[in-house]
């Protein structure tokens, strides 16, 4: 039995902790609030997220990072991406230099354009022991054992396979990858595409429009992945097309909901946060990817449009008009 630390007791952290525990390991789940940890330990259910999902008794929650990490064989970080650097710094005193660590946050750091593994390398060091995990994985389904799949990517095969072994079971297939850069860019970019799809439905467009946005969004994603040193083929895999499809089309998707029920209706990111107490990863990603867009001299019109509507208050109809009036080019 391995001891695995899961840092973050939101929906995805809770689902991952349950999956690890159901595989026969001890999952130590770190919650920011002591009362949440106490409730999980006494009732075996998270009182704030996935409240209808009973958790394995092998899940043990704590509000102490030291208690969570001491003696662990591996760790997963499942906090919002904008908190990643701060969280890694808080973890550092309790993380041995060879502890395998996987980041499950999806995003790009504000101001620097750094990807999650870049942030962890700068704060925790030893890139060879770091991995990223991403895929079409709504926590609401994974925690219930609905057949799903994900990808664990690392520059070192053994590190990726460590997390493959800890997480995989017949209902949760885990594939390994040597392309963490591609996986991380896909993980951030698909949320931007989902906001655009939600916007299109909210504005009254149909499935043809949604399919167009998804495929043109994947083209933008692949351009960014390639210039950043990733493999364009990753965009066709679980972290790319797979995650894009589920995030764009699922009723569980907060990014699509934000586009459809908020931006398209003239409501703001602050409105969404106040109503749901959830993070819209794509809203931050469309802002932060601008650093990479400028650095590489790329043209990412869908991303630019979502950013203009979300952060600059530009009318969705003006963005649509600008997109459809763009000169026609070769598809690839």
């Amino acid at each position: 039995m391995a001891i695995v630390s899961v840092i973050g007791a939101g929906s995805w952290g809770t689902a991952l902790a349950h999956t690890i525990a159901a595989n026969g390991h001890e999952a130590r789940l770190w919650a920011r609030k002591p009362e949440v940890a106490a409730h999980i330990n006494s009732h075996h259910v998270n009182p704030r997220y996935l409240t209808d999902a009973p958790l394995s008794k092998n899940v043990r929650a704590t509000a102490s990072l030291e208690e969570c990490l001491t003696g662990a064989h591996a760790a997963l970080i499942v906090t919002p991406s904008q908190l990643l650097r701060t969280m890694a710094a808080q973890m550092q005193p309790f993380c041995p230099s060879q502890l395998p660590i996987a980041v499950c946050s999806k995003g790009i750091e504000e101001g620097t354009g750094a990807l999650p593994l870049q942030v962890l390398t700068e704060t925790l060091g030893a890139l060879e022991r770091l991995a990223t995990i991403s895929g079409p994985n709504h926590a609401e389904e994974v925690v219930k054992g609905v057949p799903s799949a994900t990808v664990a990517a690392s520059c070192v095969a053994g590190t990726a396979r460590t997390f493959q072994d800890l997480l995989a079971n017949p209902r949760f297939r885990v594939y390994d990858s040597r392309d963490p850069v591609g996986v991380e860019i896909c993980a951030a970019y698909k949320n931007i595409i989902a906001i655009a799809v939600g916007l299109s439905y909210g504005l009254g467009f149909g499935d043809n429009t949604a399919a167009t946005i998804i495929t043109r969004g994947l083209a933008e994603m692949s351009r960014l992945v390639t210039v950043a040193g990733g493999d364009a083929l990753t965009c066709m895999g679980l972290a790319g097309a797979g995650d894009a499809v589920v995030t764009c089309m699922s009723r569980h998707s907060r990014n699509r909901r934000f586009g459809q029920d908020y931006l398209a209706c003239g409501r703001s990111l602050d409105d969404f946060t106040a109503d749901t107490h959830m993070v819209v990863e794509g809203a931050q990603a469309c802002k932060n990817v601008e650093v990479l867009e400028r650095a590489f001299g790329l043209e990412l019109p869908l991303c630019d449009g979502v950013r203009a509507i979300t952060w600059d208050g530009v009318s969705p109809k003006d963005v649509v008009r600008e997109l459809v009036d763009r000169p026609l080019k070769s598809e690839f």
Side-chain angles (χ1 to χ4, degrees):
M1 175 191 290
I3 299 172
V4 184
S5 303
V6 180
I7 310 300
S11 297
W12 190 217
T14 300
L16 286 170
H18 174 72
T19 300
I20 290 165
N23 286 350
H25 304 294
E26 178 185 331
R28 294 182 186 168
L29 180 61
W30 178 81
R32 183 172 58 87
K33 295 184 177 181
E35 60 269 26
V36 171
H39 189 98
I40 291 172
N41 290 334
S42 59
H43 295 84
H44 302 292
V45 68
N46 190 321
R48 290 178 60 87
Y49 302 96
L50 307 178
T51 55
D52 61 343
L55 302 179
S56 167
K57 289 183 170 54
N58 284 350
V59 175
R60 183 166 64 85
T62 177
S64 165
L65 280 173
E66 182 176 9
E67 181 181 355
C68 186
L69 288 161
T70 299
H73 299 102
L76 290 81
I77 305 177
V78 204
T79 56
S81 59
Q82 64 265 33
L83 302 177
L84 183 59
R85 188 177 293 273
T86 300
M87 179 54 63
Q90 293 174 357
M91 292 169 58
Q92 196 275 334
F94 315 115
C95 289
S97 61
Q98 298 305 310
L99 179 71
I101 300 173
V103 60
C104 306
S105 307
K106 299 178 179 181
I108 297 168
E109 187 175 52
E110 185 172 4
T112 68
L115 298 173
L117 288 193
Q118 289 176 271
V119 173
L120 289 191
T121 302
E122 292 170 8
T123 51
L124 296 174
L127 176 62
E128 63 274 8
R129 53 86 172 257
L130 301 177
T132 185
I133 293 172
S134 187
N137 309 138
H138 283 305
E140 297 87 345
E141 296 186 359
V142 171
V143 77
K144 294 178 180 177
V146 175
S148 307
T150 199
V151 58
S154 174
C155 62
V156 175
T159 302
R161 287 172 188 153
T162 292
F163 293 99
Q164 185 180 44
D165 292 342
L166 290 170
L167 287 164
N169 61 53
R171 292 182 175 270
F172 192 59
R173 293 183 62 81
V174 181
Y175 294 83
D176 68 289
S177 166
R178 298 290 79 70
D179 183 25
V181 168
V183 167
E184 290 190 318
I185 290 176
C186 289
Y189 214 91
K190 58 89 182 181
N191 288 321
I192 303 170
I193 301 170
I195 293 175
V197 168
L199 263 164
S200 74
Y201 280 118
L203 293 172
F205 301 126
D207 296 339
N208 289 354
T209 311
T212 300
I213 291 170
I214 292 171
T215 49
R216 294 314 301 159
L218 288 172
E220 291 187 10
M221 175 194 289
S222 67
R223 289 202 291 273
L224 182 55
V225 165
T226 302
V227 298
D231 185 349
L233 192 59
T234 297
C235 299
M236 298 305 298
L238 290 165
D243 208 359
V245 168
V246 77
T247 309
C248 290
M249 307 309 294
S250 171
R251 60 188 175 83
H252 296 307
S253 172
R254 70 189 72 168
N255 290 280
R256 172 177 165 162
R257 196 184 342 152
F258 171 61
Q260 184 167 355
D261 297 340
Y262 286 78
L263 288 187
C265 302
R267 304 184 69 195
S268 69
L269 181 60
D270 288 341
D271 293 330
F272 183 93
T273 303
D275 289 348
T276 67
H277 307 290
M278 289 182 164
V279 174
V280 183
E281 300 97 329
Q284 199 64 39
C286 73
K287 180 180 179 182
N288 298 344
V289 79
E290 187 176 13
V291 176
L292 299 177
E293 188 176 358
R294 289 178 175 176
F296 293 121
L298 288 177
E299 189 177 33
L300 306 173
L302 275 175
C303 178
D304 293 344
V306 172
R307 181 168 58 247
I309 297 166
T310 303
W311 294 102
D312 301 332
V314 176
S315 164
K317 291 183 179 179
D318 288 343
V319 170
V320 170
R321 189 177 302 112
E322 182 178 341
L323 288 172
V324 299
D325 286 344
R326 286 173 54 81
L328 296 174
K329 300 179 179 180
S330 297
E331 184 175 14
F332 300 110

